[in-house]
Amino acid sequence: MAQMMYRDAVLTTIAEEMERDSSVVVLGEDVVGGMGTPGGPEAIGGIWSTSTGLFDKFGKDRVIDTPISESAIIGAAAGLALAGKRPIAELMFADFIGVSLDQIWNQTAKFRYMFGGKTKCPVVIRMAYGAGYNAAAQHSQSVHQILTGMPGLKVVMPSTPADVKGLLRQAIRDDDPVIFLEHKALYGMSGEVPEGADQIIPFGHARLARAGEDVTIISSGLLLGFCEAVADKLAAEGIGCDVIDLRTTSPLDEEAIIDSVEVTGRVVVVDEAPPRCGLAADICALIAARAFASLKAPPQAVTPPHTPIPFARELESAYLPSVDKIEAAVRHVLGWR
Amino acid sequence: MQLSREALQRAYRQMKVIREFEERLHTEIQTGEIAGFTHLYCGQEAVAVGVCEHLDIDDKIVSTHRGHGHCLAKGCELNGMMAEIWGSREGLCKGKGGSMHIADIDKGMLGANGIVGAGAPIAVGAALSAKIDNKGKVAIAFSGDGACNQGTTFEAMNFAVVTQAPCIFVFENNHYSEHTGVDYAVGTARDIASRAEAFGMKVWRADGTDFFAVHDTMREVLDFVRGGGGPAAVEFDTERFFGHFEGDPQRYRAKGEIERIRESRDCLKNFRISVTGAKLLTDADLDQIDQDVLDSIEAAVVAARAADRPTPEDVLSDVYIAY
Ligand SMILES: Cc1ncc(C[n+]2csc(CCOP(=O)(O)OP(=O)(O)O)c2C)c(N)n1
Ligand SMILES: [Mg+2]
């Protein structure tokens, strides 16, 4: 075990996989940083420090600093993959999927199926997502809701440095396109990370972050930690919570959800994306369909409202799910009749 | 063409307002009081003002993430902008947009924009509207050297040419897109105008740190476009004095670069030298403006600090429905 930050788990996993497999290629805006400037390549090294040093180590053919052209970045990643490489494309902010959506949705996601299984499409699209920095409506969004709804994509949302390692390694080795969502507020999170190049977490396997028999709390990414805090608080009152970290929203570990709800009968789903047609609604529907008889209370969702993300501190905190809002929802289902 | 004394004073004041607005934000941001991402326009003032001094309220502009200068030059109210950056309910966008999303539609300022390259197509739409109205109005798309690499910018230029929209693409080449140099990221390095030309537009190039060069060039461009000549593009060579965003360590710069550009490429300094040299205005005239501007910035900061804060209920307004 090594102590490591979330962002370093991203960087070291990419470096290890590039070392192991010469077909792995990185591309994105400022992933080298300083190209064409007096300071020279690596003057900055990626705005999230998740690609620092890769250029010096692997060279310009495999670490490609791109112009501001998100559509072409994703399209080129798709082309690299069809031609036999394993590209890791970085979108600086998840919000920029808007610029590149055709290449993600109509191209990358569909090749394997549309071409009758004649190709793989091993593209990883990494992106920094999430609110909490007052970065307003175009730099704060959680986009898994949109991307999880697209057949052909796998969608990963790690909540710890250890999960970054295992899940990113799987993403890079996976033969399907994988969306890899890194929460901005987690980059500085430190945690134990198992060592060894074969430390892989397969997709579609949720993690039980806390175990209890009274209520199930389901989440992923940054908010998972909020759910753990609520569980720890309630544990002191003798209330036991199962906290399920989905890890991947596609594929979804339906069994882990159903197994837990069958025991607890009470469930709260917590998500940072907007509520309509979203992850929380999807999971509540799954539970209604498959665990109806076990339910002791209506499933509750804690999400932001159906609005764009506001700028001001007061507004953003009113918008976002919080520990208090999650706790209130959990108490609500616990108190149901 | 010789500008009147009033026009010179006004242009200087506008540039100075932008300069001091940004310098003050640079200081205030260090304390952590201002939230979010802020991109300062210092160094590029001559472009915003040299362009917008030719516009009236019915001409439209579309801005970028580095939008404060464009907003102020187009007539957005100083206090409303400061309050917005402070996240106040009294801000131009009620604290919902912040620095990157300041807009004042009534003033013809159709928004700063957090998405690089998003602005140019929007400006084409505004230009098409002006074409329908047929009153000689124009729309301006401000873009950076980084934004000129987006497909949206290419599409907008071709779209404007084929529809003969009265749209002017103003490229502010400050040599950097975030931490990347224009020599690397733009294939036609230091010649963005030639791209626009290839789309079939008439183009101009000028020194963007020289107010008079910008202003004279824009007079020609606007005469051409308002006269029905179709869309046009201008590339201004300019400088950004601060980092890409506040907090940028700027390790990509050359040693002494900031000192050098602040010394020799400062549009305000150079303006002062030309107008006092030509005896059009005196140092005392300009010093008086400097003092007035500093006072108005101070007043705006005081007002922004004291302004009403938004309430949680405000999250749910200005959208068709709240779930
Ligand atoms: C679609 C999109 N891609 C990337 C970014 C991140 N970003 C913000 S500003 C910027 C650089 C823009 O450079 P330029 O157009 O030259 O404008 P300048 O910052 O020099 O004013 C980048 C890459 C963004 N905001 N939007
Ligand atoms: Mg630039």
Side-chain angles (χ1 to χ4, degrees):
Chain A
M1 286 280 192
Q3 192 73 21
M4 194 180 280
M5 274 203 276
Y6 190 93
R7 68 157 60 85
D8 295 328
V10 174
L11 174 59
T12 56
T13 308
I14 294 174
E16 286 161 14
E17 290 300 296
M18 290 186 81
E19 194 75 63
R20 193 187 63 88
D21 178 351
S22 63
S23 69
V24 178
V25 172
V26 164
L27 69 163
E29 292 159 17
D30 275 318
V31 292
V32 180
M35 295 296 273
T37 70
E42 296 270 15
I44 296 279
I47 79 155
W48 305 114
S49 306
T50 51
S51 51
T52 317
L54 294 178
F55 179 85
D56 285 343
K57 197 152 187 210
F58 300 104
K60 67 174 176 10
D61 289 346
R62 291 179 65 200
V63 183
I64 305 165
D65 202 302
T66 68
I68 308 179
S69 309
E70 284 82 6
S71 187
I73 293 170
I74 305 301
L80 278 158
L82 291 184
K85 301 296 183 288
R86 290 189 173 269
I88 306 174
E90 175 180 302
L91 294 179
M92 195 180 277
F93 287 81
D95 312 70
F96 308 159
I97 63 162
V99 183
S100 50
L101 207 55
D102 180 68
Q103 295 292 345
I104 297 175
W105 180 39
N106 281 318
Q107 314 304 328
T108 311
K110 291 176 179 157
F111 287 157
R112 178 152 84 93
Y113 186 85
M114 213 163 55
F115 298 163
K118 285 201 170 58
T119 186
K120 330 180 264 195
C121 194
V123 175
V124 179
I125 308 177
R126 297 177 41 238
M127 53 189 91
Y129 79 99
Y133 289 88
N134 311 103
Q138 297 174 342
H139 282 75
S140 306
Q141 297 171 96
S142 292
V143 298
H144 56 279
Q145 170 204 31
I146 298 169
L147 298 169
T148 302
M150 291 180 187
L153 297 180
K154 294 174 176 169
V155 181
V156 185
M157 302 179 71
S159 64
T160 66
D163 277 9
V164 166
K165 241 297 99 129
L167 292 166
L168 184 53
R169 195 171 269 125
Q170 172 61 35
I172 295 167
R173 297 185 190 184
D174 204 286
D175 285 339
D176 280 316
V178 178
I179 305 292
F180 199 83
L181 295 156
E182 299 159 19
H183 201 293
K184 299 176 193 91
L186 290 175
Y187 276 134
M189 175 195 201
S190 235
E192 294 282 316
V193 174
E195 277 161 295
D198 290 313
Q199 199 55 52
I200 285 191
I201 301 172
F203 292 162
H205 292 270
R207 176 175 72 98
L208 194 61
R210 295 287 185 275
E213 299 195 334
D214 299 314
V215 60
T216 303
I217 313 177
I218 301 168
S219 193
S220 61
L222 175 71
L223 299 183
L224 200 272
F226 292 25
C227 299
E228 290 174 328
V230 171
D232 293 345
K233 181 170 178 193
L234 295 181
E237 297 174 24
I239 299 165
C241 304
D242 259 359
V243 176
I244 297 178
D245 180 354
L246 291 172
R247 285 179 164 157
T248 60
T249 59
S250 180
L252 182 68
D253 189 348
E254 299 189 1
E255 297 319 311
I257 296 168
I258 299 303
D259 288 352
S260 173
V261 174
E262 279 175 350
V263 173
T264 63
R266 303 177 198 270
V267 60
V268 174
V269 191
V270 180
D271 190 21
E272 195 176 324
R276 293 301 317 281
C277 301
L279 185 66
D282 194 52
I283 290 174
C284 289
L286 170 79
I287 292 166
R290 289 196 42 202
F292 184 71
S294 309
L295 285 174
K296 299 174 191 152
Q300 294 294 302
V302 180
T303 70
H306 189 65
T307 74
I309 303 179
F311 161 68
R313 286 198 174 95
E314 295 88 336
L315 296 176
E316 194 191 50
S317 34
Y319 169 92
L320 281 174
S322 62
V323 170
D324 289 347
K325 290 177 196 171
I326 298 166
E327 183 184 337
V330 171
R331 290 194 188 278
H332 178 76
V333 296
L334 283 167
W336 187 266
R337 270 197 283 266
Chain B
M1 195 174 78
Q2 187 71 57
L3 286 174
S4 71
R5 198 180 145 77
E6 289 65 40
L8 288 171
Q9 281 174 319
R10 196 188 129 85
Y12 180 80
R13 178 183 302 273
Q14 289 287 80
M15 291 197 291
K16 188 70 179 173
V17 168
I18 298 171
R19 173 66 53 89
E20 294 303 337
F21 190 90
E22 302 293 60
E23 293 281 358
R24 181 67 183 261
L25 286 179
H26 180 69
T27 315
E28 296 292 343
I29 283 165
Q30 326 281 334
T31 70
E33 194 178 330
I34 295 170
F37 299 161
T38 319
H39 307 85
L40 302 180
Y41 191 72
C42 269
Q44 305 182 205
E45 298 87 346
V47 176
V49 176
V51 170
C52 292
E53 282 297 283
H54 290 288
L55 306 181
D56 71 25
I57 203 162
D58 296 320
D59 293 310
K60 315 285 189 206
I61 70 165
V62 180
S63 175
T64 70
H65 58 286
R66 200 175 300 290
H68 303 167
H70 307 137
C71 294
L72 287 163
K74 189 66 175 64
C76 291
E77 198 231 332
L78 173 60
N79 285 15
M81 279 184 60
M82 197 67 89
E84 184 60 30
I85 290 165
W86 243 266
S88 150
R89 197 172 202 229
E90 296 171 31
L92 279 182
C93 305
K94 303 183 197 164
K96 285 179 168 168
S99 165
M100 268 194 295
H101 306 295
I102 295 177
D104 196 345
I105 309 298
D106 295 340
K107 297 272 166 63
M109 200 289 147
L110 307 191
N113 207 312
I115 302 296
V116 170
I122 298 169
V124 173
L128 289 170
S129 170
K131 189 177 168 214
I132 292 167
D133 296 342
N134 197 23
K135 291 183 186 135
K137 298 300 166 198
V138 302
I140 311 262
F142 286 100
S143 304
D145 50 286
C148 84
N149 291 323
Q150 282 287 31
T152 45
T153 308
F154 297 163
E155 292 174 25
M157 289 198 281
N158 184 56
F159 197 157
V161 168
V162 302
T163 57
Q164 287 295 291
C167 188
I168 300 166
F169 299 88
V170 172
F171 292 104
E172 294 182 75
N173 186 347
N174 61 10
H175 321 134
Y176 294 103
S177 56
E178 265 186 20
H179 315 315
T180 299
V182 68
D183 291 331
Y184 175 78
V186 180
T188 54
R190 307 213 176 218
D191 189 10
I192 294 165
S194 65
R195 290 187 171 180
E197 199 162 27
F199 278 104
M201 253 179 272
K202 197 161 155 57
V203 302
W204 282 259
R205 298 170 178 86
D207 179 356
T209 67
D210 175 351
F211 169 79
F212 296 100
V214 175
H215 196 260
D216 288 349
T217 304
M218 285 309 296
R219 182 178 303 110
E220 280 180 34
V221 175
L222 279 151
D223 284 349
F224 173 81
V225 176
R226 290 198 205 276
V234 203
E235 177 177 359
F236 291 116
D237 187 64
T238 183
E239 306 290 348
R240 120 162 106 69
F241 285 177
F242 285 117
H244 168 65
F245 54 89
E246 285 304 274
D248 176 359
Q250 303 188 67
R251 289 192 298 271
Y252 47 82
R253 300 250 199 201
K255 230 176 146 56
E257 179 178 328
I258 296 176
E259 294 72 19
R260 178 177 56 75
I261 58 179
R262 282 224 183 228
E263 184 49 41
S264 64
R265 302 262 292 153
D266 181 335
C267 57
L268 281 148
K269 258 190 205 160
N270 293 340
F271 185 99
R272 184 182 277 261
I273 293 169
S274 344
V275 296
T276 53
K279 306 226 180 312
L280 298 168
L281 295 173
T282 63
D283 275 315
D285 294 333
L286 297 171
D287 292 346
Q288 181 60 51
I289 295 174
D290 289 354
Q291 192 52 53
D292 291 352
V293 166
L294 283 171
D295 293 346
S296 64
I297 300 285
E298 173 62 23
V301 169
V302 169
R305 279 212 173 95
D308 278 354
R309 301 302 305 171
T311 62
E313 299 74 58
D314 294 333
V315 172
L316 302 182
S317 63
D318 303 312
V319 64
Y320 63 93
I321 196 166
Y323 292 95

